[in-house]
């Protein structure tokens, strides 16, 4: 199956020769089957209160990101804004460079929304509405059964894991498959933290916004830094 594969890389803050800070977070594209670029750059957009205000709102599930065509912010390609957040349910909207709606993303936290697993809904106007659940039931059962051993497994995996997969077996299941009309247009694979856009009609900007959001809800969330 031909698909775009999106991988997010979050690096340290960088500065160019003129002292201008560059965007460090990058989303790379591979196996391109559509008009997606080779990469876009993502950073959080801070509210008037700055970093402290962002982190306070973040605790309730809110997020705000800007996606740029280059690491010096010369061209904005998309924006992620929070429509509402609270009670374990957060709704986000993805906007294009001119404010047009690209899509809507909804995250319903496990046990707070409509199921035992975290539920992600992806809606693209004029296209599809796909629903995905974090992890597969069988892997969640195995993880809960092995929970008493997880402390030992975690210590071992810290010293015996590959880059990008720290935590190994001790990590809770994170893979997600979205389904719409019997198809799987989107798939997030925890190994390598890659998002696959299987359906050719998926807007790559929506995919980039989605992986940025997914990675912001991980234990190693890229947008949780205090600087």
């Amino acid at each position: 199956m031909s698909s775009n594969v999106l991988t997010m890389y979050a690096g340290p803050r960088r500065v160019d020769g003129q002292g201008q800070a560059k965007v460090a977070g990058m989303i790379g594209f591979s196996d391109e089957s559509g008009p997606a670029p080779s990469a876009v750059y993502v950073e959080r957009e801070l509210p008037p209160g700055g970093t402290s205000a962002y982190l306070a709102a973040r605790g309730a599930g809110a997020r705000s990101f800007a996606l740029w065509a280059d690491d010096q912010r010369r061209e904005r390609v998309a924006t992620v804004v929070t429509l509402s957040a609270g009670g374990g349910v957060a709704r986000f909207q993805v906007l294009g460079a001119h404010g047009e709606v690209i899509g809507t993303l909804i995250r319903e936290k496990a046990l707070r929304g409509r199921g035992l697993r975290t539920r992600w809904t992806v809606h693209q106007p004029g296209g599809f509405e796909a629903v995905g659940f974090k992890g597969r039931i069988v892997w969640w059962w195995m993880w809960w059964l092995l929970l008493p051993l997880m402390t030992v497994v975690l210590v071992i995996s810290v010293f015996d894991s590959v880059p990008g997969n720290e935590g190994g077996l001790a990590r809770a299941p994170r893979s997600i498959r979205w389904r719409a009309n019997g198809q799987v247009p989107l798939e997030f694979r925890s190994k390598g933290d890659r998002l696959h856009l299987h359906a050719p009609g998926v807007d790559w900007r929506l995919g980039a916004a989605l992986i940025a959001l997914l990675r912001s809800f991980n234990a190693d969330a890229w947008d949780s830094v205090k600087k």
Side-chain angles (χ1 to χ4, degrees):
M1 180 184 293
S2 179
S3 63
N4 266 325
V5 182
L6 284 67
T7 308
M8 183 172 178
Y9 307 91
R13 187 178 180 85
R14 296 176 296 166
V15 178
D16 63 16
Q18 287 71 44
Q20 175 68 36
K22 296 182 179 181
V23 181
M26 184 184 78
I27 297 172
F29 296 76
S30 61
D31 297 332
E32 298 170 19
S33 58
S38 59
V40 293
Y41 298 82
V42 59
E43 67 176 342
R44 60 187 184 184
E45 283 206 309
L46 301 179
T51 302
S52 58
Y54 179 90
L55 294 177
R58 186 184 182 283
R63 302 287 192 275
S64 180
F65 306 146
L67 280 74
W68 304 95
D70 63 274
D71 63 358
Q72 296 188 38
R73 308 175 182 85
R74 284 186 288 249
E75 180 185 353
R76 182 186 293 259
V77 296
T79 305
V80 179
V81 298
T82 300
L83 297 177
S84 63
V89 180
R91 294 175 172 83
F92 309 96
Q93 198 165 64
V94 185
L95 306 174
H98 304 290
E100 71 277 17
V101 177
I102 296 173
T104 303
L105 307 171
I106 303 174
R107 179 183 185 268
E108 300 173 71
K109 190 176 180 180
L111 303 177
R112 302 288 291 276
R114 288 180 282 179
L116 298 176
R117 294 178 290 166
T118 296
R119 171 187 174 119
W120 283 90
T121 303
V122 179
H123 174 68
Q124 183 171 303
F128 63 90
E129 180 170 289
V131 176
F133 294 90
K134 183 178 177 181
R136 298 184 184 181
I137 290 293
V138 62
W139 292 116
W140 275 111
W141 277 113
M142 291 181 64
W143 191 82
W144 282 110
L145 288 172
L146 294 173
L147 190 58
L149 302 177
M150 284 303 163
T151 301
V152 175
V153 174
L154 179 60
V155 172
I156 295 174
S157 63
V158 166
F159 295 98
D160 188 28
S161 59
V162 297
N165 193 41
E166 290 80 4
L169 293 172
R171 263 195 326 206
R174 298 185 300 122
S175 296
I176 304 173
R177 282 186 177 180
W178 283 267
R179 300 186 184 277
N181 301 319
Q183 303 295 319
V184 182
L186 301 158
E187 181 181 6
F188 177 72
R189 299 178 184 175
S190 59
K191 185 177 181 180
D193 286 329
R194 293 182 172 90
L195 178 66
H196 293 249
L197 310 185
H198 294 312
V202 180
D203 193 311
W204 62 266
R205 297 169 297 176
L206 183 60
L210 177 57
I211 193 170
L213 277 171
L214 289 171
R215 290 292 302 275
S216 77
F217 282 98
N218 280 1
D220 57 345
W222 64 273
D223 71 319
S224 63
V225 295
K226 297 181 179 180
K227 294 183 179 180

